[in-house]
Amino acid sequence: MSSAYPQIHLVRHGETAWSLSGQHTGRTDMPLTVAGEAAARGVAQRLAGLSFSAVWSSPSQRAYNTSVLAGFGGESVRNDDLQEWDYGAYEGRTTKDILAERPGWNVFRDGCPRGETAADVGARADRIIRQLREAGGSILIFSSAHFLRVLAARWLGLPPEGGALFVLDTASISVLGYEHDPGEPVVRKWNLK
C-alpha cells in the first residue's frame, strides 16, 4: 500500500553474538556475525526500488555496518540520538539473569541502574521525530531494537513504555507513516523479514 505522505523505514541491525545470546547490547560496540552480515546484504534486496531523502544510522558499528552492507553507506549519516538504550549495570546481561536477582523487572517500566529509563530513551525518540517531521521526506533509519520500539511508540503518541508492545527481529524492516493526513501517524508495516 503506497502513501502520498512520507514514510519512515526502520531497519534493526543484523545479528551480533549478543543479540543471538540474548544479552543486552546498549553501548558495547559489537560487530555483526557472518549471518548478520548476510542478513544486512539481504536488506538491500528488500529495499530495492525505494528512494529516501535521507539515511540515518545509530553510531554503533552494528547499525552503521548494516546500512553499509544494505547499500546505503555512502548516504548514511550517524546520529547519536539513534543509539540503543543505555543498559548501564545490565549491559551484557540476559533478561533471565536479571530476573533471577530482580524478579518482575521490565526494562520499559523499570529502566536500568546507572543507565537510561524509558523516559530518557523517549526524549531521544522525540528529538528524532521532530527531525523527521521537519525533514518532511521519506527517511531510512538503521538502529537497534529497544530504541526503535520506543520510537514507534512515541510516533503513535504512546508513552515510551508503549515500546513494550512491539517486538523486532534482527535485520527486520518496519514502516511508520500516516493514514489520511500528517495528523494521523500510524504503523504501516512491522517486523518484516
Side-chain angles (χ1 to χ4, degrees), residues 17-67:
W18 281 12
S19 67
L20 184 61
S21 65
Q23 292 170 265
H24 286 84
T25 316
R27 304 300 162 87
T28 302
D29 206 10
M30 299 290 296
L32 298 172
T33 63
V34 171
E37 291 174 352
R41 286 185 200 94
V43 168
Q45 296 168 337
R46 294 165 38 221
L47 294 175
L50 298 176
S51 61
F52 302 97
S53 60
V55 179
W56 300 345
S57 174
S58 161
S60 73
Q61 68 173 310
R62 62 192 179 271
Y64 185 76
N65 289 345
T66 298
S67 79

Side-chain angles (χ1 to χ4, degrees), residues 22-25 85-91 93-113 115-118 146:
Q23 292 170 265
H24 286 84
T25 316
W85 199 303
D86 181 348
Y87 298 116
Y90 292 159
E91 182 77 7
R93 301 192 56 202
T94 65
T95 298
K96 180 180 177 182
D97 291 340
I98 297 165
L99 289 171
E101 63 185 49
R102 191 172 169 189
W105 173 79
N106 179 286
V107 70
F108 291 97
R109 182 188 60 236
D110 304 318
C112 301
E116 289 183 302
T117 64
H146 279 139

